[in-house]
Structures are given as structure tokens and as C-alpha cells.
Amino acid sequence: MGEASVKTLETRTDLSSPTVTESEPRPARPRTLLERLRAPRRPRIWFEIALIAISYWTYSLIRNAVPEQKAAALANADWIWDVERSLGIAVEQSVNHAVNSVTWLIVGMNYYYATLHFVVTIGVLVWIYRFHPGRYAATRLVLFATTGVALVGYYLYPLAPPRLMNGQDFIDTVLVHHTWGSMASGNLKHMSNQYAAMPSMHIGWSLWCGLTIFAVASAPWARILGLLYPTLTLVVIVATANHFWLDAVGGMLCLTFGYAVSRGWYGSLPHRLPRHPEHTGPHPAAAVLNRFRRA
């Protein structure tokens, strides 16, 4: 066997590996004013109570200040009724008479219509405030935007409820059964705009409650109840002759607008935001107020 030869690369240039230096962490980019305004914050109880009270007072004031255009409202009601009959969905009168024949049921629905509209809505707001503070502001914005755009509907499209239509056999169940609470019947009817039926905020608000519960709640029974609530509300507003089916569609469209506004502002739907807000420092508006106080 021949001798093993060893090749050496004496002429090879030894290239050293490039020195790797750890990159220094870049400083966090300061948030713009718009980003700070959009950032979800932990809500403050007294501010929220004042905001909701003032907002509802303003909503009621504007809603009742819309001119009661009786002739136009009755004409629009006749048109809605004709459209529903042509579509084969004009069952409001049948539902109204059928439920009215069961006294305990219709009385219960009268009280349902008068009370749960407020009780459940406030309850859902309190629940989100307490257990999902990071989602509260976005959820509240959906409700506020929904209610705000409804005011435009009341002004542009006055509509009489079925119970006030001429020449139709609808029953005003509050008057017949002498139940209290409806701002649209009895002694309280002069305190509320009688011809602001489109859109139905009973549907807008109840569907907001139902979707919020369904999207956020973890218990299956709670999610089921969340979906049943607006469904039952739809039956109630028809059975008591306070709304047409199509008024409910108007309420759904307003809610869709509300969700679009909230998503546009926060960049996400409310239930997809963090459950608890990150620490973002004082609100820009609070900083401005503090400057004025110190000046």
C-alpha cells in the first residue's frame, strides 16, 4: 500500500466569523393621541352612571321632541301593513287577538314590555362593567350608536304602532287590561312620542343584550337565555300591538350600525377585545382637565 499523504492548506486564508452583537431593544413607540383615545380603559363607576343617565335623558328628550306627524305616521302604518300582507307576514293582528284572549299571559307581556326593556339592559351593562371591564367601553359604544341612529329613524320616518291604526281591529292591551308602565298608552301617553315606532328599540336593545351574553358568557344555559330574550321580546312587541314585524328589522339594522361604529373605533368587535384592559395611563381628556386645574 502507498503511503498516506496528508494535504495541508497552508495557503488558505483563515476567515473569522463575523462578530454577532446583540441588537439593543428598540424603545417603544409613543402612542398617538388617537391610539390613546381608542385604548380600552377600566371604566369608572360614577362616570358611567352619569354618562348613561345623561345619555338616556338626552335620548328621551330628542325622541319626544320629534314632531308627532300623525297624518304621515298613520299613512306609513297603512303602507307597512300593506307591504306585510303582500309578503304574507302580516300576522300581527292574529297574534294580538290570540294572546289577548289569555288574560294572565297578556298582562305578563304588558309588564314585560314596560320593565325588562330597562332592567335587562342595565343588568347586562353592570355585568360587563364588573366582569369584562376591557370590553365594556366597546360594548357600551354599540348600544349608544344604536340608540343614536334610531333617533334619525324617528325623525325621518314617523310611524304609528298597530294599536293606533285607523280601520284595523288591533287591541291596545294596556288599556283593555288596565296595566301600568307603558309610556305609549293610558295616562302616560302624553309623555312619549306616540308615532316613533320605527325602528323598535325594544328589539335593538334586547338583541344587543342577547348577542353580548351569547358572545361573552361561558355557561351554556346563559348563552341560550341570551338568545331567547330578543326572541321573546319580538313576540311581546307584536302581541301587545306596539310594533310591526318590520319595526324589528329596523331595530336590527340600527344594531348593525352600532357594531360597525364600535369595530371601526376599537378595531375589533367587543367580545374579541381583552377581558381586562392593559394599563394605559390617564385618559387624554383627564390630562387636559388637570392642566386647566393647575393653570
Side-chain angles (χ1 to χ4, degrees):
M1 295 180 62
E3 293 181 359
S5 60
V6 179
K7 295 182 179 179
T8 60
L9 301 177
E10 296 177 354
T11 59
R12 178 183 174 188
T13 304
D14 186 15
L15 299 176
S16 58
S17 301
T19 305
V20 178
T21 58
E22 295 184 0
S23 59
E24 296 181 358
R26 295 181 180 180
R29 179 179 63 84
R31 293 188 175 189
T32 64
L33 176 60
L34 184 59
E35 288 174 334
R36 285 186 288 144
L37 287 171
R38 286 177 168 177
R41 285 175 169 76
R42 184 170 296 276
R44 297 183 179 181
I45 182 64
W46 294 113
F47 173 79
E48 294 302 325
I49 291 175
L51 179 63
I52 292 171
I54 293 172
S55 298
Y56 183 73
W57 175 81
T58 304
Y59 162 77
S60 300
L61 186 67
I62 296 175
R63 182 181 188 273
N64 296 334
V66 173
E68 290 193 353
Q69 306 173 55
K70 182 176 180 180
L74 289 172
N76 289 335
D78 290 335
W79 184 84
I80 289 284
W81 187 236
D82 289 340
V83 168
E84 289 195 351
R85 283 191 292 188
S86 66
L87 294 174
I89 60 172
V91 299
E92 289 91 335
Q93 196 172 83
S94 299
V95 174
N96 176 234
H97 282 256
V99 178
N100 185 71
S101 65
V102 184
T103 302
W104 65 267
L105 181 59
I106 193 60
V107 169
M109 286 190 175
N110 284 341
Y111 288 128
Y112 179 112
Y113 184 88
T115 59
L116 292 191
H117 181 51
F118 304 101
V119 173
V120 177
T121 303
I122 293 174
V124 172
L125 277 172
V126 171
W127 174 58
I128 294 294
Y129 174 92
R130 176 66 179 83
F131 297 103
H132 301 268
R135 299 162 179 161
Y136 175 83
T139 305
R140 182 195 62 199
L141 180 57
V142 174
L143 183 64
F144 278 27
T146 299
T147 306
V149 76
L151 294 173
V152 179
Y154 299 148
Y155 185 85
L156 296 179
Y157 195 79
L159 180 67
R163 59 186 175 76
L164 292 181
M165 291 179 68
N166 294 325
Q168 301 297 334
D169 191 24
F170 284 99
I171 301 170
D172 190 331
T173 58
V174 171
L175 289 179
V176 170
H177 297 279
H178 307 289
T179 48
W180 57 265
S182 175
M183 297 293 288
S185 299
N187 296 329
L188 298 176
K189 65 182 180 181
H190 299 297
M191 298 175 61
S192 178
N193 186 348
Q194 296 290 285
Y195 304 107
M198 172 67 84
S200 169
M201 279 299 93
H202 271 74
I203 291 300
W205 288 13
S206 66
L207 190 57
W208 171 86
C209 292
L211 291 178
T212 299
I213 294 171
F214 181 80
V216 173
S218 56
W221 62 265
R223 303 180 74 188
I224 293 172
L225 287 179
L227 295 182
L228 286 177
Y229 175 55
T231 304
L232 182 56
T233 300
L234 180 59
V235 176
V236 168
I237 67 172
V238 171
T240 56
N242 279 294
H243 289 283
F244 297 98
W245 294 112
L246 292 182
D247 298 344
V249 175
M252 294 175 190
L253 292 176
C254 289
L255 183 63
T256 302
F257 173 82
Y259 274 108
V261 170
S262 181
R263 190 184 188 286
W265 181 253
Y266 288 100
S268 179
L269 291 173
H271 69 278
R272 292 180 177 173
L273 294 171
R275 181 172 181 173
H276 298 281
E278 60 183 71
H279 180 71
T280 54
H283 195 280
V288 172
L289 290 176
N290 288 333
R291 290 177 186 175
F292 278 110
R293 290 176 182 174
R294 294 172 183 173

